[in-house]
Amino acid sequence: MDPDHVPSHQQTANSVPADYEAWRKARWDEIAGPNGKAKVVANGRVTGRDAHVIPGVPGQWRVTEAGALTMSAAAADDVMVNGEAVNGTAEVPSGSTLEFSGGRVGFAGGAGGFYGVVVMDHEALTRSGLSGIDTYPYDPAWVFEGEYRAAPEGRRIDVGRLTTPRSTEAILAPVDLAVSINGTEYVLSVLEDMPGQRLVVFTDETNGTETPEIGRWLVLPLLDPGSTMTVDFNQATLSHHHLAPAVFTCPLSPPGNHLPIRVEAGERALVYAKN
């Protein structure tokens, strides 16, 4: 597998900064490493007192009145939490390891009544044939300085989500990102779909031809309004939705997050080995 797979372009080693090469390697590890997203076969959120069923995962999950995560399963479901078989209801502390039949493993995390459960199959990557990520050549002209601007406290934006059928969700959007590109300022809504994760989902004029129609992501740091940061479109990534559409029901671009230009930087498509 080649984390720097760029089949249609050649880049010299001297033309690519070392920190970008390090980011590419880390990005591939995020996708295909020991806990890579390409190995995820189930992914669910658990909030509130009602019982939750996560597709593809046995048992029922709920949050107790005290804010703890629990799961209920029968012995025949073959579920283990932190090495202990579940037969009834078990508490699942944040950071717990999970084991399921068929060699699937997972973990649970979260706090304050908001939890996530992820289940992985380490053979899923091999079965998929995923071998790399096609990108535009690195171009320093796509690196800018951006600034966080304050949004109304508690602001949420109605954003489409890639469920089947499509749905809409009011997602927390705590700040805006202001960035000037070739003399034009653009102000983009920043989503916090998961606590502590800042994300700009944007579309541009390459979508549907050279890049996915649903747009791409910029993952941003957790900083206060007024803070400045580097905005590197060379680090624009594909949505996790492309890895497993049924598992990753990612948010779409919010209204106003379209750049009326061709952003010829960042990731373009997943690459699969030929059979």
Side-chain angles (χ1 to χ4, degrees):
M1 300 178 185
D2 182 2
D4 296 315
H5 185 85
V6 187
S8 58
H9 302 283
Q10 297 295 321
Q11 301 179 37
T12 63
N14 292 333
S15 68
V16 181
D19 58 350
Y20 174 72
E21 292 183 326
W23 177 81
R24 289 291 307 278
K25 290 180 172 59
R27 169 65 175 158
W28 182 246
D29 188 64
E30 177 192 7
I31 297 300
N35 293 320
K37 298 290 194 300
K39 300 177 181 180
V40 175
V41 293
N43 180 32
R45 301 180 186 184
V46 184
T47 61
R49 299 289 302 281
D50 293 337
H52 292 254
V53 175
I54 300 172
V57 182
Q60 292 187 332
W61 305 76
R62 59 168 46 89
V63 176
T64 67
E65 186 174 355
L69 176 65
T70 66
M71 74 91 58
S72 300
D77 290 322
D78 195 17
V79 179
M80 300 186 74
V81 175
N82 295 324
E84 298 288 334
V86 177
N87 184 17
T89 297
E91 187 168 332
V92 186
S94 184
S96 292
T97 58
L98 310 169
E99 297 175 61
F100 305 92
S101 60
R104 296 178 302 156
V105 297
F107 56 88
F114 187 102
Y115 295 91
V117 178
V118 176
V119 180
M120 295 176 292
D121 180 343
H122 288 291
E123 300 302 318
L125 179 63
T126 301
R127 290 196 302 269
S128 74
L130 180 65
S131 60
I133 306 173
D134 181 23
T135 70
Y136 287 100
Y138 177 85
D139 185 348
W142 284 104
V143 182
F144 306 96
E145 183 178 90
E147 178 187 12
Y148 276 157
R149 292 184 179 170
E153 185 175 356
R155 180 184 67 171
R156 290 182 177 270
I157 297 176
D158 287 335
V159 176
R161 190 173 283 282
L162 289 162
T163 53
T164 302
R166 294 279 180 93
S167 59
T168 300
E169 181 178 344
I171 297 178
L172 184 66
V175 291
D176 290 321
L177 172 69
V179 58
S180 292
I181 303 174
N182 299 329
T184 300
E185 183 182 77
Y186 300 96
V187 179
L188 307 173
S189 300
V190 180
L191 302 180
E192 196 165 316
D193 191 32
M194 294 289 291
Q197 181 190 69
R198 294 277 175 84
L199 187 69
V200 164
V201 185
F202 72 95
T203 56
D204 69 90
E205 294 301 305
T206 68
N207 298 153
T209 54
E210 298 176 25
T211 61
E213 185 176 0
I214 62 175
R216 291 178 290 165
W217 292 1
L218 285 173
V219 179
L220 299 176
L222 192 65
L223 300 172
D224 293 331
S227 300
T228 59
M229 72 218 70
T230 298
V231 179
D232 188 350
F233 284 91
N234 294 287
Q235 296 183 13
T237 67
L238 302 170
S239 164
H240 297 148
H241 180 77
H242 299 288
L243 296 167
V247 173
F248 295 108
T249 56
C250 300
L252 290 163
S253 176
N257 273 24
H258 179 70
L259 298 173
I261 56 176
R262 290 176 54 82
V263 179
E264 296 179 351
E267 296 180 351
R268 304 199 302 180
L270 298 176
V271 179
Y272 292 88
K274 296 180 180 178
N275 294 327

